[in-house]
């Protein structure tokens, strides 16, 4: 039976990062990406009309807020849909910028793409055509990305990154964990 993956990401920067991890690095499962902040916006039944049976929903979200109520409601809604096989969560502790600083050899987010200021990072990130190269230049380590455990309101949310990570053997061929 065919298996499908649907990523729900917070914003354009996360969408771009997922795309690079899927296609350029080939370290996470391929799937469609939809921008939808599951911590701040409820999912509607209309969000599921294009999903195929046997879909894994992957929620990628920031944990820099103090309320996980809507996230939990969205997880419950997804789990009740017949086309959803399972729901996986990937919390960003605290946000994408912090994840990148942990997994790259940088001290401030503006260093990743030589942005003029930290506030320019998201625009530069979305416009970057050679993101894989920029990440490798800063010694991006995927094993340090999306692996932190959230605290506070998100402490009960599991981190399921290992369930979408693709291992690569010496021949360069990937296989799912």
């Amino acid at each position: 039976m065919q298996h499908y993956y649907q990523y729900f990401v917070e914003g354009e920067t996360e969408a771009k990062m997922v795309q690079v991890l899927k296609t350029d690095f080939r370290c996470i499962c391929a799937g469609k990406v939809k921008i939808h902040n599951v911590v701040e916006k409820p999912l509607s039944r209309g969000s599921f009309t294009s999903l195929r049976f046997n879909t894994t929903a992957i929620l990628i979200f920031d944990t820099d807020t103090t309320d996980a109520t809507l996230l939990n409601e969205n997880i419950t809604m997804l789990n009740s849909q017949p086309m959803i096989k399972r729901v996986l969560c990937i919390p960003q502790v605290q946000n994408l910028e912090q994840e990148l600083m942990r997994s790259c050899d940088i001290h401030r987010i503006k260093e990743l793409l030589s942005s003029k200021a930290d506030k320019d990072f998201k625009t530069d990130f979305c416009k970057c055509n050679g993101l894989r190269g920029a990440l490798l230049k800063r010694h991006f380590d995927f094993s340090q990305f999306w692996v932190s455990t959230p605290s506070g309101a998100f402490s009960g949310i599991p981190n399921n990154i290992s369930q979408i990570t693709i291992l690569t053997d010496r021949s360069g061929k990937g296989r799912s964990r």
Side-chain angles (χ1 to χ4, degrees), residues 68-119:
T69 304
L70 193 53
L71 171 65
N72 287 316
E73 290 172 7
N74 281 327
I75 291 169
T76 299
M77 159 104 60
L78 284 165
N79 278 321
S80 73
Q81 302 305 307
M83 73 287 293
I84 301 294
K85 179 178 181 176
R86 62 187 172 160
V87 178
L88 303 177
C89 294
I90 301 176
Q92 297 187 130
V93 179
Q94 298 269 324
N95 52 40
L96 179 62
E97 293 87 347
Q98 292 295 319
E99 292 288 346
L100 288 167
M101 288 192 297
R102 264 192 297 282
S103 58
C104 293
D105 187 18
I106 57 174
H107 295 87
R108 295 194 51 194
I109 197 61
K110 72 178 190 173
E111 297 170 30
L112 182 64
L113 300 172
S114 301
S115 299
K116 290 184 180 180
D118 288 345
K119 67 180 176 68

Side-chain angles (χ1 to χ4, degrees), residues 12-177:
E12 289 181 42
T13 51
E14 287 84 2
K16 179 137 187 176
M17 189 69 192
V18 167
Q19 192 63 32
V20 167
L21 292 174
K22 288 185 319 176
T23 58
D24 296 349
F25 283 101
R26 294 185 178 151
C27 59
I28 62 172
C29 294
K32 293 183 179 182
V33 179
K34 179 176 180 149
I35 296 174
H36 186 99
N37 187 336
V38 294
V39 172
E40 295 181 0
K41 288 175 55 181
L43 287 164
S44 66
R45 297 217 186 272
S47 304
F48 313 123
T49 56
S50 65
L51 297 181
R52 294 181 167 177
F53 184 75
N54 212 27
T55 293
T56 294
I58 303 153
L59 311 181
I60 300 173
F61 52 90
D62 290 353
T63 60
D64 56 0
T65 64
T66 58
D67 189 3
T69 304
L70 193 53
L71 171 65
N72 287 316
E73 290 172 7
N74 281 327
I75 291 169
T76 299
M77 159 104 60
L78 284 165
N79 278 321
S80 73
Q81 302 305 307
M83 73 287 293
I84 301 294
K85 179 178 181 176
R86 62 187 172 160
V87 178
L88 303 177
C89 294
I90 301 176
Q92 297 187 130
V93 179
Q94 298 269 324
N95 52 40
L96 179 62
E97 293 87 347
Q98 292 295 319
E99 292 288 346
L100 288 167
M101 288 192 297
R102 264 192 297 282
S103 58
C104 293
D105 187 18
I106 57 174
H107 295 87
R108 295 194 51 194
I109 197 61
K110 72 178 190 173
E111 297 170 30
L112 182 64
L113 300 172
S114 301
S115 299
K116 290 184 180 180
D118 288 345
K119 67 180 176 68
D120 299 324
F121 166 74
K122 286 187 178 189
T123 302
D124 293 345
F125 191 86
C126 290
K127 289 181 180 177
C128 183
N129 288 325
L131 189 53
R132 181 180 191 273
L135 288 166
L136 290 175
K137 181 179 174 184
R138 297 300 185 165
H139 306 111
F140 175 68
D141 182 356
F142 181 68
S143 71
Q144 298 302 307
F145 190 71
W146 287 338
V147 295
S148 298
T149 304
S151 59
F154 297 89
S155 62
I157 307 292
N159 185 332
N160 303 121
I161 185 63
S162 65
Q163 294 184 45
I164 63 161
T165 301
I166 296 173
L167 304 173
T168 305
D169 62 21
R170 289 188 180 171
S171 71
K173 294 181 180 178
R175 57 183 170 76
S176 295
R177 278 191 190 176

